[in-house]
Structures are given as structure tokens and as C-alpha cells.
Amino acid sequence: QVQLVESGGGSVQAGGSLRLSCVASGNTDSDLCMAWFRQAPGKEREGVALIEPDGSTTHVDSVEGRFTVSKDNAQNIVYLQMNSLKPEDTAIYYCATKSRPCWLLVPKAASYYKYWGQGTQVTVSS
């Protein structure tokens, strides 16, 4: 069992920044894929960023160059630094984890992730 708790969401104007945090507890071995997903009203949950056990990262094209995923292994925290935010980034952001293999940019990627946080709302106004 893994428990995930997100924080850091909020309301910002376009062009602003936020940093989301996800604290993991429980059976947090070193072999976990940690991912951020988001879901806007009326849309499917989509993968945003992934950090693999070896530290390699993947970002979806729509956030490449603006968002950065990172992790602090000692404290079991995963971050999502979000810069140059746009109104289309408005969504509930979720942290999720699974054992390897690590997938993000595949159809129905969310269905492969076993553990989820409760989500944190990000609202970007124009």
C-alpha cells in the first residue's frame, strides 16, 4: 500500500507559477514510477509528467519547457514545478504511482496506475 497526498494547488493568473508537491508514504520502495496526471471538466484524465526510479523524466508535449517534474528521494516527495501557466492548464492535478514498467504517453495510461492522491485544484485565469 502506498498513500499519496498532494498540495500546492491554487488560483493564479496566466503566466504565473505554482509548485505542486506529492508526499508518498507506506510501501515506498525505490522501484516506483511517480507520475502527475490532470483532469479538466468533461475531459479524460491525461498524463502530464513522469519521473522514473532512475530519475529520468517525461513530459507531455503541451507542458514541455514549462513544467518540470523532480523528486526528493530522502523525503519521498515528488514535485511538479509549473511555470508560464495558461488557462488551458486549469484542472485537478493528481499524483499517482505504480511499479515498473513506467508509462505515461500511452492510451489510457491512467488505468495502469494503482495508487492515487486525492487531487489538488489548479485554476489559471486569463
Side-chain angles (χ1 to χ4, degrees):
Q1 288 277 350
V2 179
Q3 294 79 44
L4 303 172
V5 179
E6 304 100 333
S7 62
S11 297
V12 296
Q13 290 193 325
S17 298
L18 286 172
R19 187 177 80 159
L20 306 184
S21 300
C22 172
V23 179
S25 60
N27 189 17
T28 55
D29 61 48
S30 60
D31 213 32
L32 292 178
C33 315
M34 300 297 299
W36 288 96
F37 287 80
R38 66 185 179 186
Q39 188 165 20
K43 295 189 176 181
E44 284 194 4
R45 194 167 295 191
E46 67 166 343
V48 176
L50 165 69
I51 187 162
E52 302 193 29
D54 65 359
S56 58
T57 62
T58 301
H59 299 81
V60 69
D61 284 349
S62 60
V63 308
E64 188 72 55
R66 300 188 298 122
F67 292 11
T68 304
V69 61
S70 62
K71 63 179 178 177
D72 180 333
N73 286 323
Q75 300 196 56
N76 291 322
I77 302 176
V78 177
Y79 300 101
L80 185 67
Q81 178 66 45
M82 306 187 296
N83 299 327
S84 302
L85 282 160
K86 303 176 180 180
E88 52 263 44
D89 295 319
T90 295
I92 300 174
Y93 284 70
Y94 298 92
C95 177
T97 187
K98 66 181 298 291
S99 299
R100 286 187 291 187
C102 300
W103 293 324
L104 185 75
L105 303 179
V106 298
K108 305 294 184 182
S111 65
Y112 295 102
Y113 283 76
K114 183 174 182 179
Y115 299 106
W116 292 84
Q118 82 286 355
T120 186
Q121 176 72 47
V122 171
T123 303
V124 185
S125 58
S126 57

